């Protein structure tokens, strides 16, 4: 199985260095100098890392044979991938994006919130992308306090969302009446309408 390690971003400087959009939890291992990475699309690689550094939480690398800004610009958007066994180096509470996409998102009471359509890596925490039944896209912080359960076998995630994160249905008064009907209220003159 192929897993994305990073996506080539914008050129940095004039000598072939490039910023990466990192998609791995272990960039020090995957992006070490000397690493040879396959690419998607395959015809762009393989690429060998000759220089790697971190500056202000961003990864910058240089590739063997890619020596100027123009050559790097042609690699923009290319994914760096590795072949891996799905269980290799896996933590008990980690999931790959392909495992999450398509799972039903439920609230703690079992009501449907939507369907997981992606996972966006962010500096602080990843965001679980959920498409609600009305088509609205909601990004949910992928932390244990909010995404309380991931059940791959039952094809669902349980999300204990804070108020306002997901769109809500029209509020119905407890007795079943719609509180927008005020025909029994007196008009401004004090008489019944």
């Amino acid at each position: 199985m192929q897993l994305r390690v990073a996506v080539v971003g914008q050129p940095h400087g004039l000598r072939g260095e490039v910023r990466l959009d990192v998609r791995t939890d272990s960039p020090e291992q995957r992006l070490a100098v000397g690493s040879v990475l396959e690419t998607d699309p395959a015809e762009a690689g393989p690429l060998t890392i000759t220089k790697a550094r971190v500056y202000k939480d961003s990864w910058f690398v240089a590739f063997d044979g890619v020596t100027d800004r123009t050559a790097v610009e042609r690699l923009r958007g290319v994914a760096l991938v590795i072949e891996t066994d799905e269980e290799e180096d896996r933590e008990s509470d980690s999931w790959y994006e392909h495992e999450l996409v398509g799972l039903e998102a439920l609230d703690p009471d079992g009501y449907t919130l939507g369907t997981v359509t992606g996972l966006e890596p962010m500096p602080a925490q990843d965001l679980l992308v959920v498409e609600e039944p009305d088509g609205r896209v909601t990004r949910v912080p992928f932390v244990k306090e909010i995404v309380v359960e991931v059940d791959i076998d039952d094809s669902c995630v349980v999300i204990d969302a804070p108020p306002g994160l997901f769109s809500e249905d029209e509020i119905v008064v407890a007795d079943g009446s719609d509180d927008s009907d005020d025909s029994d209220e007196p008009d401004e003159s004090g008489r019944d309408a």
Side-chain angles (χ1 to χ4, degrees), residues 119 125-130 138-143 146-147 159 161-162 165-166:
L119 183 67
Q125 77 267 329
D126 293 344
L127 298 175
L128 196 63
V129 182
V130 177
T138 301
R139 286 166 176 76
V140 179
F142 201 176
V143 294
I146 297 175
V147 182
I159 299 173
L165 185 60
F166 284 90

PDB file of all heavy atoms in Angstrom, residues 119 125-130 138-143 146-147 159 161-162 165-166:
ATOM      1  N   LEU A 119      -9.326  13.972   5.764  1.00  0.00           N
ATOM      2  CA  LEU A 119      -8.547  14.295   6.951  1.00  0.00           C
ATOM      3  C   LEU A 119      -7.533  15.345   6.535  1.00  0.00           C
ATOM      4  O   LEU A 119      -6.766  15.132   5.595  1.00  0.00           O
ATOM      5  CB  LEU A 119      -7.842  13.043   7.480  1.00  0.00           C
ATOM      6  CG  LEU A 119      -7.043  13.196   8.758  1.00  0.00           C
ATOM      7  CD1 LEU A 119      -7.972  13.475   9.940  1.00  0.00           C
ATOM      8  CD2 LEU A 119      -6.234  11.938   9.035  1.00  0.00           C
ATOM      9  N   GLN A 125      -3.436  20.092  15.408  1.00  0.00           N
ATOM     10  CA  GLN A 125      -4.057  18.760  15.345  1.00  0.00           C
ATOM     11  C   GLN A 125      -4.712  18.608  13.985  1.00  0.00           C
ATOM     12  O   GLN A 125      -4.985  19.586  13.317  1.00  0.00           O
ATOM     13  CB  GLN A 125      -5.104  18.555  16.457  1.00  0.00           C
ATOM     14  CG  GLN A 125      -6.443  19.223  16.230  1.00  0.00           C
ATOM     15  CD  GLN A 125      -6.531  20.596  16.858  1.00  0.00           C
ATOM     16  OE1 GLN A 125      -5.915  20.844  17.869  1.00  0.00           O
ATOM     17  NE2 GLN A 125      -7.304  21.484  16.267  1.00  0.00           N
ATOM     18  N   ASP A 126      -4.934  17.368  13.589  1.00  0.00           N
ATOM     19  CA  ASP A 126      -5.588  17.123  12.309  1.00  0.00           C
ATOM     20  C   ASP A 126      -7.058  17.496  12.403  1.00  0.00           C
ATOM     21  O   ASP A 126      -7.641  17.545  13.492  1.00  0.00           O
ATOM     22  CB  ASP A 126      -5.458  15.650  11.914  1.00  0.00           C
ATOM     23  CG  ASP A 126      -4.021  15.263  11.611  1.00  0.00           C
ATOM     24  OD1 ASP A 126      -3.192  16.166  11.416  1.00  0.00           O
ATOM     25  OD2 ASP A 126      -3.743  14.055  11.580  1.00  0.00           O
ATOM     26  N   LEU A 127      -7.673  17.751  11.250  1.00  0.00           N
ATOM     27  CA  LEU A 127      -9.100  18.060  11.178  1.00  0.00           C
ATOM     28  C   LEU A 127      -9.802  16.956  10.402  1.00  0.00           C
ATOM     29  O   LEU A 127      -9.385  16.613   9.296  1.00  0.00           O
ATOM     30  CB  LEU A 127      -9.337  19.402  10.490  1.00  0.00           C
ATOM     31  CG  LEU A 127      -8.750  20.625  11.183  1.00  0.00           C
ATOM     32  CD1 LEU A 127      -8.963  21.870  10.329  1.00  0.00           C
ATOM     33  CD2 LEU A 127      -9.362  20.820  12.564  1.00  0.00           C
ATOM     34  N   LEU A 128     -10.845  16.401  10.995  1.00  0.00           N
ATOM     35  CA  LEU A 128     -11.683  15.406  10.334  1.00  0.00           C
ATOM     36  C   LEU A 128     -12.710  16.170   9.516  1.00  0.00           C
ATOM     37  O   LEU A 128     -13.431  17.014  10.048  1.00  0.00           O
ATOM     38  CB  LEU A 128     -12.363  14.546  11.398  1.00  0.00           C
ATOM     39  CG  LEU A 128     -12.976  13.227  10.975  1.00  0.00           C
ATOM     40  CD1 LEU A 128     -11.895  12.290  10.437  1.00  0.00           C
ATOM     41  CD2 LEU A 128     -13.658  12.572  12.154  1.00  0.00           C
ATOM     42  N   VAL A 129     -12.768  15.919   8.215  1.00  0.00           N
ATOM     43  CA  VAL A 129     -13.689  16.644   7.332  1.00  0.00           C
ATOM     44  C   VAL A 129     -14.969  15.820   7.213  1.00  0.00           C
ATOM     45  O   VAL A 129     -14.932  14.657   6.808  1.00  0.00           O
ATOM     46  CB  VAL A 129     -13.068  16.881   5.945  1.00  0.00           C
ATOM     47  CG1 VAL A 129     -14.021  17.668   5.064  1.00  0.00           C
ATOM     48  CG2 VAL A 129     -11.733  17.598   6.083  1.00  0.00           C
ATOM     49  N   VAL A 130     -16.104  16.415   7.599  1.00  0.00           N
ATOM     50  CA  VAL A 130     -17.392  15.727   7.599  1.00  0.00           C
ATOM     51  C   VAL A 130     -18.362  16.487   6.709  1.00  0.00           C
ATOM     52  O   VAL A 130     -18.552  17.699   6.869  1.00  0.00           O
ATOM     53  CB  VAL A 130     -17.968  15.617   9.032  1.00  0.00           C
ATOM     54  CG1 VAL A 130     -19.342  14.973   9.006  1.00  0.00           C
ATOM     55  CG2 VAL A 130     -17.018  14.844   9.938  1.00  0.00           C
ATOM     56  N   THR A 138     -18.037  20.408   7.405  1.00  0.00           N
ATOM     57  CA  THR A 138     -17.606  20.810   8.742  1.00  0.00           C
ATOM     58  C   THR A 138     -16.255  20.175   9.040  1.00  0.00           C
ATOM     59  O   THR A 138     -16.049  18.999   8.779  1.00  0.00           O
ATOM     60  CB  THR A 138     -18.639  20.363   9.801  1.00  0.00           C
ATOM     61  OG1 THR A 138     -19.899  20.966   9.492  1.00  0.00           O
ATOM     62  CG2 THR A 138     -18.215  20.762  11.196  1.00  0.00           C
ATOM     63  N   ARG A 139     -15.340  20.971   9.582  1.00  0.00           N
ATOM     64  CA  ARG A 139     -14.026  20.469   9.966  1.00  0.00           C
ATOM     65  C   ARG A 139     -14.007  20.307  11.484  1.00  0.00           C
ATOM     66  O   ARG A 139     -14.209  21.267  12.202  1.00  0.00           O
ATOM     67  CB  ARG A 139     -12.933  21.414   9.472  1.00  0.00           C
ATOM     68  CG  ARG A 139     -12.755  21.290   7.972  1.00  0.00           C
ATOM     69  CD  ARG A 139     -11.943  22.411   7.354  1.00  0.00           C
ATOM     70  NE  ARG A 139     -11.723  22.179   5.938  1.00  0.00           N
ATOM     71  CZ  ARG A 139     -12.636  22.359   4.999  1.00  0.00           C
ATOM     72  NH1 ARG A 139     -13.834  22.764   5.312  1.00  0.00           N
ATOM     73  NH2 ARG A 139     -12.359  22.114   3.728  1.00  0.00           N
ATOM     74  N   VAL A 140     -13.746  19.066  11.906  1.00  0.00           N
ATOM     75  CA  VAL A 140     -13.819  18.708  13.322  1.00  0.00           C
ATOM     76  C   VAL A 140     -12.413  18.458  13.856  1.00  0.00           C
ATOM     77  O   VAL A 140     -11.691  17.626  13.292  1.00  0.00           O
ATOM     78  CB  VAL A 140     -14.670  17.426  13.506  1.00  0.00           C
ATOM     79  CG1 VAL A 140     -14.739  17.027  14.966  1.00  0.00           C
ATOM     80  CG2 VAL A 140     -16.059  17.614  12.916  1.00  0.00           C
ATOM     81  N   PRO A 141     -11.987  19.167  14.912  1.00  0.00           N
ATOM     82  CA  PRO A 141     -10.676  18.872  15.495  1.00  0.00           C
ATOM     83  C   PRO A 141     -10.595  17.396  15.887  1.00  0.00           C
ATOM     84  O   PRO A 141     -11.446  16.890  16.613  1.00  0.00           O
ATOM     85  CB  PRO A 141     -10.622  19.781  16.728  1.00  0.00           C
ATOM     86  CG  PRO A 141     -11.569  20.901  16.400  1.00  0.00           C
ATOM     87  CD  PRO A 141     -12.676  20.263  15.606  1.00  0.00           C
ATOM     88  N   PHE A 142      -9.580  16.705  15.380  1.00  0.00           N
ATOM     89  CA  PHE A 142      -9.444  15.268  15.603  1.00  0.00           C
ATOM     90  C   PHE A 142      -8.700  15.037  16.914  1.00  0.00           C
ATOM     91  O   PHE A 142      -7.543  14.625  16.937  1.00  0.00           O
ATOM     92  CB  PHE A 142      -8.727  14.625  14.425  1.00  0.00           C
ATOM     93  CG  PHE A 142      -8.960  13.138  14.284  1.00  0.00           C
ATOM     94  CD1 PHE A 142      -8.431  12.457  13.210  1.00  0.00           C
ATOM     95  CD2 PHE A 142      -9.697  12.431  15.203  1.00  0.00           C
ATOM     96  CE1 PHE A 142      -8.641  11.094  13.052  1.00  0.00           C
ATOM     97  CE2 PHE A 142      -9.919  11.075  15.068  1.00  0.00           C
ATOM     98  CZ  PHE A 142      -9.381  10.402  13.985  1.00  0.00           C
ATOM     99  N   VAL A 143      -9.393  15.347  18.022  1.00  0.00           N
ATOM    100  CA  VAL A 143      -8.861  15.140  19.368  1.00  0.00           C
ATOM    101  C   VAL A 143      -9.833  14.252  20.133  1.00  0.00           C
ATOM    102  O   VAL A 143     -11.030  14.229  19.840  1.00  0.00           O
ATOM    103  CB  VAL A 143      -8.659  16.483  20.109  1.00  0.00           C
ATOM    104  CG1 VAL A 143      -7.572  17.312  19.429  1.00  0.00           C
ATOM    105  CG2 VAL A 143      -9.954  17.289  20.184  1.00  0.00           C
ATOM    106  N   ILE A 146     -13.285  15.358  21.440  1.00  0.00           N
ATOM    107  CA  ILE A 146     -14.373  15.611  20.488  1.00  0.00           C
ATOM    108  C   ILE A 146     -14.688  14.362  19.670  1.00  0.00           C
ATOM    109  O   ILE A 146     -15.837  13.938  19.594  1.00  0.00           O
ATOM    110  CB  ILE A 146     -14.034  16.816  19.576  1.00  0.00           C
ATOM    111  CG1 ILE A 146     -13.895  18.080  20.438  1.00  0.00           C
ATOM    112  CG2 ILE A 146     -15.097  17.000  18.506  1.00  0.00           C
ATOM    113  CD1 ILE A 146     -13.440  19.303  19.685  1.00  0.00           C
ATOM    114  N   VAL A 147     -13.684  13.767  19.048  1.00  0.00           N
ATOM    115  CA  VAL A 147     -13.887  12.505  18.319  1.00  0.00           C
ATOM    116  C   VAL A 147     -13.625  11.394  19.332  1.00  0.00           C
ATOM    117  O   VAL A 147     -12.499  10.959  19.528  1.00  0.00           O
ATOM    118  CB  VAL A 147     -12.947  12.390  17.099  1.00  0.00           C
ATOM    119  CG1 VAL A 147     -13.211  11.088  16.343  1.00  0.00           C
ATOM    120  CG2 VAL A 147     -13.138  13.584  16.169  1.00  0.00           C
ATOM    121  N   ILE A 159     -18.778  11.549  17.418  1.00  0.00           N
ATOM    122  CA  ILE A 159     -18.297  12.913  17.637  1.00  0.00           C
ATOM    123  C   ILE A 159     -19.158  13.594  18.689  1.00  0.00           C
ATOM    124  O   ILE A 159     -20.372  13.739  18.513  1.00  0.00           O
ATOM    125  CB  ILE A 159     -18.338  13.715  16.319  1.00  0.00           C
ATOM    126  CG1 ILE A 159     -17.439  13.045  15.280  1.00  0.00           C
ATOM    127  CG2 ILE A 159     -17.929  15.160  16.558  1.00  0.00           C
ATOM    128  CD1 ILE A 159     -17.534  13.649  13.898  1.00  0.00           C
ATOM    129  N   ALA A 161     -19.609  16.798  19.665  1.00  0.00           N
ATOM    130  CA  ALA A 161     -19.296  18.141  19.164  1.00  0.00           C
ATOM    131  C   ALA A 161     -19.738  19.228  20.127  1.00  0.00           C
ATOM    132  O   ALA A 161     -20.808  19.145  20.727  1.00  0.00           O
ATOM    133  CB  ALA A 161     -19.973  18.349  17.815  1.00  0.00           C
ATOM    134  N   PRO A 162     -18.923  20.269  20.256  1.00  0.00           N
ATOM    135  CA  PRO A 162     -19.366  21.424  21.045  1.00  0.00           C
ATOM    136  C   PRO A 162     -20.514  22.118  20.314  1.00  0.00           C
ATOM    137  O   PRO A 162     -20.630  22.006  19.087  1.00  0.00           O
ATOM    138  CB  PRO A 162     -18.126  22.311  21.114  1.00  0.00           C
ATOM    139  CG  PRO A 162     -17.258  21.865  19.993  1.00  0.00           C
ATOM    140  CD  PRO A 162     -17.579  20.436  19.725  1.00  0.00           C
ATOM    141  N   LEU A 165     -20.884  23.608  16.303  1.00  0.00           N
ATOM    142  CA  LEU A 165     -19.951  23.061  15.318  1.00  0.00           C
ATOM    143  C   LEU A 165     -20.683  22.530  14.094  1.00  0.00           C
ATOM    144  O   LEU A 165     -20.289  22.770  12.965  1.00  0.00           O
ATOM    145  CB  LEU A 165     -19.091  21.950  15.944  1.00  0.00           C
ATOM    146  CG  LEU A 165     -17.994  21.378  15.050  1.00  0.00           C
ATOM    147  CD1 LEU A 165     -17.002  22.463  14.631  1.00  0.00           C
ATOM    148  CD2 LEU A 165     -17.260  20.248  15.762  1.00  0.00           C
ATOM    149  N   PHE A 166     -21.778  21.813  14.309  1.00  0.00           N
ATOM    150  CA  PHE A 166     -22.594  21.283  13.219  1.00  0.00           C
ATOM    151  C   PHE A 166     -23.850  22.126  13.087  1.00  0.00           C
ATOM    152  O   PHE A 166     -24.333  22.703  14.057  1.00  0.00           O
ATOM    153  CB  PHE A 166     -22.984  19.822  13.501  1.00  0.00           C
ATOM    154  CG  PHE A 166     -21.851  18.862  13.275  1.00  0.00           C
ATOM    155  CD1 PHE A 166     -20.993  18.538  14.308  1.00  0.00           C
ATOM    156  CD2 PHE A 166     -21.639  18.298  12.033  1.00  0.00           C
ATOM    157  CE1 PHE A 166     -19.942  17.661  14.117  1.00  0.00           C
ATOM    158  CE2 PHE A 166     -20.584  17.418  11.822  1.00  0.00           C
ATOM    159  CZ  PHE A 166     -19.738  17.104  12.870  1.00  0.00           C
TER     160      PHE A 166
END
